Amino acid sequence: MEQMRVTDYFGQRKRPAARGNPGTKRRKVQEAVKLEDLLRPPSTPEQPEPPVPFSLLPSSKKRGRQHSDPEVTGKRSARKKLKLPEEEPQCLSPCSKTEVQHETPSSLGKKIKDFVGVSLSPQSGTLQIGLAVPEAKVSSKENLDLKSRLQKIQELGQRLKVPAAPLESKVTITDLKTRLKQAQALESKIRERKAEKQIVEHQQEPNRESEKAPAYERFHTLAQDVPPGLSLPFRYKVLAEMFRSMDTIVGMLCNRSETVTFSKVKQGVQDMMRKQFEERNVGQIKTVYPTAYKFRQEKNIPTFKNGEKKSDYHLTVEPIVPEEDKLDGRLQLTASRLLERRKFFHRSLTDIVKQHHRSFLETLNPPMVVPDYQLTRWHPRFNVDEVPDVVAAELPQPPQVQKLSTAQEVLTKARGLMTPKMEKALADLALRNAETNAEDTKPAPSAEPKPAAAAPSALKGVSQSCFTGKEAQKLQAIMTRKPQQEERLLMMSRLPELARILRNVFVAEKKPALTAEVVCDRIISSYRSSMSAGEMEKHLSLLVELLPGWLTIHPIRKDTYYKLNKTTDLNLILERLDKKMKEESSH
């Protein structure tokens, strides 16, 4: 037996870097043989070779040396001849003697064709699908894809089976006439309902506004801390503020010789007031102050906003100012002119409220008549915040394209586009509509005046003549009272308490006369509300005027002394003050 070399052992045990692995050489030889078998012409299949035992595989250590392949252990020249092209794939696992199948693109396409066979029978219109490959070779993903495709194909087949919709029958002239009559009848009913709804809403508008208005608007005048007077409703005050803002913006734009449009004014007013400003508010301003602005609809005004074309019409605003305010032929709104226009607008709003107040006084029993120039406050029963809102005046509207609304207009517009029968039908319909409209028009019922205010339930059975005259006289005196008289009455209401404190001061000091400084300090420290020394001196001088025999003033050198008659009963003094108070309030 030939003895093995050491080099043969190391060649099979380890993989040298340059010479390569004998296992890979063996695999290459087997793949080359298989390629030759595939390239041969078709013939009867041969029996597969028996598998190599595990002991002969190259992974075994010592047994591999004893039973080595002669092709691998041969000369190096024989090894160099067995080379495969680089394009052929090589196996990564240890090569066995089982069959290795190499699939080309043509063979793959053939397998796919054999895998799914689809045939459409033209007679039945349905799709038939057959599976030609056994289930063992089909994966789960492919089964899902095939099922989804099969469902889509079945849905397409069902859609093909849906019969076509039958053709509509031809529309006759009688059908057109009936449909036209129905449409006209529905249109007339809709118009009537809209007119009735508008009338009802117009009648119930003040009530709805008073119901929906929040409390801070409905009781706005009651929450004011200013002295009572001719206060305006909340909505009128908001409108006055809108006019002030609008006049300011219009004046700025006019002073810069810029064309004033409603869109510019609207944006500026909303930024200043943080409230919505619409064309309706501009119409209200025109109603209150008609000579403030001149409104026009103009086009070809340059705008730099998206969505606005130069050819569109815009509402322009031009202030009306006297000639003396124009500078070099240009409009100029000065600060003094703006203040004057603002005061005029406020007076106009007050005049509108006075008109409503006058109509309210006429509904009283007995009716009262108070001149406007003598009116200084509203009637106590007159709810200022329920005064209806200012009616908006009409503003110039852009010219509109003519729209056909009646059958007569349609007939005259499209006379040459219809048949004679259709023209005759439309003419008859126009005549009928004219007759029905003439019959349906009725005069609107006149608004009835509001009944007079009913007497309170607590005074039922008492004659009205017992107190209406005095009450009316008292209310008229309240409405025509001046602010100076109001201040005098307020001071007189404080005098009874001040007289009581003043007598206690003189009794405590045990002196017949006291200086003005001492008297004022003692009374201020004892009175329930804070008051300055000057105000206290005014009250004491009024007390001296009303009660000259009880309190007197004696100016001596630089000081002023007050002297009080302690012997007079205090109750008599209080009765006299009460009587003076009633006399002042009644006049």
Side-chain angles (χ1 to χ4, degrees):
M1 176 182 283
E2 187 179 359
Q3 188 175 1
M4 297 184 66
R5 293 175 295 180
V6 179
T7 56
D8 294 338
Y9 171 77
F10 283 102
Q12 294 179 5
R13 179 64 179 173
K14 295 183 180 180
R15 294 183 180 179
R19 295 176 62 183
N21 193 4
T24 58
K25 296 295 183 179
R26 188 183 296 109
R27 285 195 296 272
K28 290 180 182 179
V29 172
Q30 291 177 359
E31 290 175 358
V33 173
K34 294 301 178 182
L35 287 172
E36 291 178 359
D37 294 341
L38 289 173
L39 296 174
R40 289 178 186 175
S43 60
T44 57
E46 297 179 356
Q47 295 292 332
E49 296 180 359
V52 181
F54 182 77
S55 61
L56 298 178
L57 291 176
S59 61
S60 59
K61 298 179 180 179
K62 294 183 180 180
R63 294 176 186 175
R65 290 201 308 268
Q66 296 175 4
H67 304 282
S68 60
D69 195 348
E71 294 178 358
V72 178
T73 56
K75 297 180 180 180
R76 295 183 181 180
S77 62
R79 294 178 189 171
K80 290 180 180 179
K81 288 180 182 180
L82 296 175
K83 288 185 178 180
L84 293 176
E86 296 179 358
E87 297 179 357
E88 295 294 334
Q90 298 180 2
C91 299
L92 297 177
S93 62
C95 187
S96 63
K97 290 191 176 183
T98 57
E99 290 184 9
V100 180
Q101 297 179 357
H102 297 272
E103 295 179 354
T104 59
S106 60
S107 62
L108 287 173
K110 187 175 180 182
K111 287 184 178 181
I112 292 170
K113 288 180 181 179
D114 295 338
F115 186 70
V116 179
V118 180
S119 62
L120 178 62
S121 60
Q123 296 178 358
S124 61
T126 58
L127 297 173
Q128 298 177 356
I129 300 173
L131 302 177
V133 180
E135 297 179 357
K137 294 184 179 181
V138 182
S139 63
S140 61
K141 293 183 179 180
E142 293 176 350
N143 286 334
L144 294 174
D145 295 339
L146 287 174
K147 287 180 181 179
S148 61
R149 291 177 185 175
L150 179 60
Q151 289 179 359
K152 290 180 181 179
I153 293 168
Q154 289 177 356
E155 290 177 359
L156 291 173
Q158 291 177 1
R159 290 181 183 177
L160 292 172
K161 289 181 181 181
V162 175
L167 296 175
E168 296 182 357
S169 60
K170 295 183 179 180
V171 181
T172 60
I173 297 175
T174 56
D175 296 338
L176 289 174
K177 289 181 179 179
T178 54
R179 292 179 185 177
L180 184 60
K181 290 180 181 179
Q182 293 175 0
Q184 293 291 341
L186 290 173
E187 185 180 1
S188 61
K189 289 181 180 179
I190 291 169
R191 287 180 180 177
E192 290 176 359
R193 290 180 181 177
K194 284 184 178 179
E196 293 176 359
K197 188 176 180 181
Q198 288 178 359
I199 292 170
V200 173
E201 288 180 354
H202 184 69
Q203 293 177 355
Q204 298 179 354
E205 187 175 4
N207 296 331
R208 288 184 179 177
E209 288 181 354
S210 62
E211 290 176 2
K212 294 182 180 179
Y216 72 90
E217 291 185 11
R218 288 186 280 115
F219 307 106
H220 171 70
T221 54
L222 301 177
Q224 298 299 311
D225 56 350
V226 296
L230 298 178
S231 58
L232 295 176
F234 179 79
R235 288 170 293 184
Y236 283 40
K237 288 186 177 181
V238 173
L239 187 62
E241 189 67 20
M242 285 182 177
F243 174 76
R244 185 187 69 82
S245 304
M246 179 179 177
D247 218 24
T248 304
I249 294 166
V250 170
M252 290 172 59
L253 296 176
C254 285
N255 294 341
R256 294 188 298 189
S257 300
E258 188 175 347
T259 305
V260 185
T261 60
F262 172 72
S263 58
K264 298 177 183 178
V265 176
K266 178 181 179 181
Q267 186 64 35
V269 173
Q270 289 181 166
D271 292 343
M272 291 177 68
M273 296 190 61
R274 303 296 179 185
K275 290 186 179 181
Q276 198 69 18
F277 186 72
E278 302 293 342
E279 289 189 10
R280 185 180 65 86
N281 304 120
V282 180
Q284 291 176 340
I285 291 173
K286 185 179 178 182
T287 302
V288 178
Y289 195 172
T291 60
Y293 303 105
K294 187 186 295 183
F295 301 97
R296 287 190 298 268
Q297 286 286 346
E298 298 180 5
K299 63 179 181 177
N300 297 327
I301 296 176
T303 57
F304 303 97
K305 291 185 178 180
N306 296 330
E308 292 186 2
K309 298 180 182 179
K310 192 176 181 181
S311 60
D312 294 343
Y313 282 90
H314 298 274
L315 180 64
T316 59
V317 183
E318 182 182 353
I320 300 175
V321 295
E323 293 293 334
E324 58 188 18
D325 287 349
K326 292 185 178 180
L327 181 63
D328 298 336
R330 296 185 304 170
L331 296 176
Q332 293 289 330
L333 276 174
T334 59
S336 59
R337 184 64 62 184
L338 291 174
L339 184 60
E340 181 182 349
R341 288 160 64 93
R342 180 182 175 186
K343 289 180 179 179
F344 183 83
F345 191 83
H346 188 274
R347 287 196 300 268
S348 301
L349 287 175
T350 308
D351 292 340
I352 294 173
V353 183
K354 283 182 179 180
Q355 293 177 4
H356 293 285
H357 183 260
R358 195 182 307 116
S359 61
F360 170 78
L361 294 179
E362 292 175 358
T363 59
L364 297 175
N365 187 17
M368 298 177 61
V369 178
V370 180
D372 290 343
Y373 66 91
Q374 293 182 359
L375 192 67
T376 57
R377 66 181 62 206
W378 308 121
H379 193 277
R381 298 179 189 171
F382 178 66
N383 195 344
V384 183
D385 291 310
E386 289 185 359
V387 174
D389 206 354
V390 180
V391 180
E394 294 184 359
L395 298 175
Q397 299 296 328
Q400 298 179 355
V401 182
Q402 184 182 2
K403 295 182 180 180
L404 305 177
S405 58
T406 61
Q408 187 67 31
E409 293 178 357
V410 175
L411 182 62
T412 56
K413 189 74 177 177
R415 186 175 295 277
L417 302 177
M418 289 184 278
T419 60
K421 291 183 178 180
M422 186 64 71
E423 292 180 6
K424 186 177 180 181
L426 290 173
D428 295 341
L429 184 62
L431 292 174
R432 291 174 188 173
N433 289 337
E435 292 176 359
T436 54
N437 292 332
E439 293 176 358
D440 294 340
T441 53
K442 295 180 181 180
S446 59
E448 298 180 357
K450 294 182 179 180
S457 59
L459 300 176
K460 285 185 179 180
V462 181
S463 177
Q464 294 286 334
S465 60
C466 297
F467 61 90
T468 52
K470 291 184 178 180
E471 185 181 5
Q473 185 180 1
K474 184 178 180 181
L475 292 175
Q476 186 173 358
I478 290 173
M479 288 187 289
T480 57
R481 191 175 294 157
K482 295 181 180 180
Q484 294 82 3
Q485 295 176 350
E486 285 290 333
E487 186 179 0
R488 181 181 175 88
L489 289 175
L490 182 61
M491 293 172 62
M492 290 178 68
S493 64
R494 298 170 183 166
L495 289 182
E497 187 176 357
L498 292 178
R500 195 178 292 110
I501 297 172
L502 180 63
R503 188 177 185 282
N504 294 334
V505 170
F506 275 91
V507 170
E509 292 292 337
K510 298 180 181 181
K511 293 181 180 179
L514 294 173
T515 60
E517 184 179 359
V518 173
V519 172
C520 291
D521 291 341
R522 298 290 191 276
I523 297 176
I524 289 171
S525 59
S526 301
Y527 193 60
R528 62 188 175 200
S529 61
S530 61
M531 195 179 300
S532 63
E535 293 177 352
M536 184 57 65
E537 288 183 1
K538 290 181 181 179
H539 285 76
L540 292 176
S541 61
L542 181 60
L543 190 60
V544 171
E545 180 184 350
L546 296 176
L547 301 173
W550 185 64
L551 183 65
T552 55
I553 300 177
H554 302 278
I556 300 174
R557 295 180 184 178
K558 296 182 180 180
D559 294 334
T560 302
Y561 290 87
Y562 287 100
K563 188 175 182 180
L564 184 69
N565 188 4
K566 302 177 184 178
T567 60
T568 309
D569 191 4
L570 185 61
N571 294 327
L572 296 175
I573 299 299
L574 297 179
E575 288 177 2
R576 290 171 61 183
L577 290 175
D578 190 13
K579 185 178 179 181
K580 293 282 186 182
M581 180 74 178
K582 289 180 180 179
E583 291 176 359
E584 290 283 343
S585 60
S586 61
H587 292 298

